Amino acid sequence: MQTPAFRFSRLITVQPHDIDELDHANNVQYVQWVQDTAAAHWHTAYPPSEGHSYIWVVLEHRIRYHHPALLGDELRCTTWIGDVRGAQSQRFVRIERAADNKLLCEAETQWVFLDSQTKRPARVTPDMVARLWGPV
């Protein structure tokens, strides 16, 4: 399936607590950035002030690390939605060093959409898909 080209991006800076004993950002920190970027996109498209009662949970992460991020690096985290089927959504995230656009990490995550009250899967509606695929 061909998806629209809209990409959501945010900038972050590598902090001292992100650094491990090898003097670069810990691999687990990349997972956090992937999840935080997905959440930032969702909350931009669907601000909590709108009162929606849905949450996303991770079913699976696939992450490929290309190059290290170092203390003080400014990173561009870019995400977009792939296939959406029922209660599941595919999401991609690229993390690049902003100074030179060097690709540091790529991730593909399968998310499951849940009703926050029942904690049961909920179908992603066509309106939601259109809103997530569109500019926010």
Side-chain angles (χ1 to χ4, degrees):
M1 170 196 252
Q2 187 75 336
T3 59
F6 176 75
R7 307 290 192 254
F8 174 87
S9 293
R10 69 188 192 108
L11 294 172
I12 60 170
T13 301
V14 180
Q15 301 297 313
H17 64 268
D18 301 326
I19 302 300
D20 63 17
E21 65 278 357
L22 298 174
D23 290 325
H24 59 68
N26 188 286
N27 291 356
V28 173
Q29 187 57 50
Y30 283 93
V31 174
Q32 187 67 56
W33 293 331
V34 164
Q35 291 185 176
D36 291 349
T37 300
H41 181 211
W42 171 251
H43 290 303
T44 300
Y46 282 92
S49 62
E50 289 187 8
H52 59 79
S53 61
Y54 298 99
I55 55 175
W56 291 94
V57 295
V58 172
L59 182 62
E60 175 185 35
H61 281 301
R62 282 193 261 160
I63 298 180
R64 180 175 299 266
Y65 302 99
H66 296 281
H67 296 282
L70 306 176
L71 181 63
D73 281 350
E74 185 175 49
L75 308 179
R76 182 182 316 98
C77 302
T78 304
T79 188
W80 64 97
I81 300 296
D83 289 336
V84 178
R85 292 189 182 117
Q88 290 191 28
S89 176
Q90 176 187 41
R91 179 181 285 276
F92 299 94
V93 175
R94 288 175 56 95
I95 300 175
E96 301 166 314
R97 191 168 46 228
D100 60 4
N101 299 321
K102 186 170 195 84
L103 178 62
L104 306 182
C105 175
E106 298 176 281
E108 178 186 342
T109 304
Q110 293 294 325
W111 292 84
V112 177
F113 193 53
L114 301 179
D115 179 292
S116 63
Q117 300 301 312
T118 66
K119 307 298 189 270
R120 297 190 51 85
R123 181 171 294 280
V124 181
T125 68
D127 288 343
M128 289 176 176
V129 173
R131 199 160 167 182
L132 289 169
W133 278 348
V136 291

